Structure formats: C-alpha cells, structure tokens
Amino acid sequence: MRRCLLLCLLSCISLAQKGIGLRFLSKLLWYTPPKDITTIQISQGKRSIAGIALYGMLYQQNGGIQLSINFFHKEHPGGFNLPGVMQDWKKGNSTAWTSIEADFRFGPRFGYIYPQIGYQLGYWLKLEGMLIPDTQQRNQWYLHLPLGMLIDLPTQFGTVGFAIHYIIGLSNLIRRPPGFQGDFHGGRLRAWEFELRVLVGQP
C-alpha cells in the first residue's frame, strides 16, 4: 500500500514537472521618498538594471509554482552598462547596483497564460549612490512582492515566453533609527519588471 501511494505521488510530480530554464530580466525602478527621516534622502529618479535568472517550473494543468535565483547588475554611468536596460534615467544621477534574489511565484494557469504573485527576497552585494549622503545606513536585505502575468508558448524543446510584473517593495531601504517607535517608512521600491524566458522541458 505504501509503495502504491509513493508511486502515485512520484507519478503526479513527474507529470507536473515543466522543466528548467533561463530568464533575461530588466527592472525599471524608483523609490518613494522616506517619510519618517530627514537626515538621509534617497536619490530620486528612475533607473534600470539588468539581470539573468535560472528558474524551474512546476505547473499542473490548473496552476503551480515557479522558483528562481536572480542576479541583477548595473554600473555607474561610464562603466559597462547595456543601453536602456542598465541606466540612470535622471540627469546627474550615478548609481551602481548588484544583488542576488531568491524568487518564488505561484498562481493559476489558463492555457498559455500564467497570472502570478509571489515574493522576492534579495541581498545587495553593492548599492552605491542611492542614499544622500552616501552612507551605509540601509538594510542589507530586501523583500519585494511581484504581481503580474507571463505567457509561455510551446516549442519542440520546451517553451519560450515573455512576462511583465509590477514590483511592490515591502521593506525599507533606510534602516529603522534606534529607538524609533511605530510604523517606519524609510523609502520603498516600485518597479516594472520585464522578462524574456526560455525553458527546456515539458510544454
């Protein structure tokens, strides 16, 4: 009986497995100004960063999950930046960003259309030029909520697709000051994330 249940479970998992693939990403992002602190400000204006991700899909007919590891990067203006996708869009801004993210998304499935919501837990390896003055009084970790939709189309080897998500920052960029009581608003991210994706596996 136990063997039968185990075989059924493994069979369901194998039928649900979609495969693994690469995501090519770009975020157009900005930060809301901090409300509860006046000694530190956040560089305003939009900027874009580019990224690449290794991801896995585990979807059944009606829904499922996606897991990925994302790597984002942007140099200061004058460094190696891809036009359009790694850029400070406000004149005079000079920021550099390198981060790694654990990304979990889930949602229903309607044929080739996948509405998604989830969480991104990230860690900055480098973030320069974002705070004024440029101090280290920022959180090293961040948490974002992606909300959007992807479209995956079948190919002979798996799927290719594209997606767009609106990213809502749940964490503050600036650290909570010692002794501060109540809800602290230290600047939160807003972004649009665009992606192209290639998956090898079962359509």
Side-chain angles (χ1 to χ4, degrees):
M1 184 65 177
R2 290 180 180 178
R3 289 184 179 180
C4 182
L5 291 174
L6 181 60
L7 288 174
C8 288
L9 178 61
L10 292 175
S11 176
C12 289
I13 292 174
S14 65
L15 289 174
Q17 176 64 42
K18 290 290 296 290
I20 59 173
L22 288 176
R23 304 165 62 212
F24 303 94
L25 307 161
S26 180
K27 284 184 183 178
L28 178 65
L29 63 93
W30 63 99
Y31 274 89
T32 60
K35 296 179 181 178
D36 300 317
I37 192 168
T38 58
T39 57
I40 305 172
Q41 294 299 313
I42 297 175
S43 173
Q44 294 300 295
K46 292 181 173 62
R47 50 192 48 88
S48 54
I49 59 175
I52 189 169
L54 178 67
Y55 77 99
M57 293 282 285
L58 185 61
Y59 266 79
Q60 296 180 342
Q61 182 177 359
N62 297 321
I65 62 172
Q66 171 185 296
L67 301 171
S68 71
I69 298 295
N70 311 333
F71 178 80
F72 283 97
H73 186 69
K74 174 195 172 300
E75 291 289 349
H76 289 285
F80 176 76
N81 289 318
L82 298 175
V85 298
M86 302 166 75
Q87 182 173 339
D88 285 299
W89 290 93
K90 184 177 180 180
K91 187 177 180 180
N93 281 352
S94 179
T95 61
W97 175 308
T98 303
S99 67
I100 188 168
E101 297 176 351
D103 192 317
F104 169 69
R105 305 186 189 191
F106 61 93
R109 175 183 180 183
F110 303 100
Y112 302 138
I113 300 174
Y114 302 73
Q116 289 184 320
I117 192 171
Y119 292 100
Q120 296 173 334
L121 177 63
Y123 181 82
W124 276 296
L125 302 173
K126 179 171 71 173
L127 185 65
E128 299 174 352
M130 193 70 74
L131 297 185
I132 307 171
D134 198 358
T135 70
Q136 294 299 313
Q137 298 182 34
R138 59 173 172 81
N139 288 311
Q140 197 71 29
W141 295 87
Y142 60 83
L143 183 65
H144 297 160
L145 174 74
L147 176 64
M149 181 183 69
L150 72 90
I151 296 177
D152 253 349
L153 302 176
T155 65
Q156 291 182 344
F157 57 82
T159 64
V160 295
F162 60 91
I164 181 170
H165 289 80
Y166 183 62
I167 310 297
I168 302 171
L170 302 179
S171 56
N172 293 305
L173 177 60
I174 300 172
R175 285 203 303 262
R176 177 186 292 268
F180 189 95
Q181 301 296 322
D183 182 39
F184 175 68
H185 191 300
R188 294 169 189 170
L189 176 133
R190 297 291 184 268
W192 288 100
E193 183 183 85
F194 307 92
E195 73 172 83
L196 298 174
R197 49 198 288 128
V198 179
L199 178 139
V200 177
Q202 178 186 352

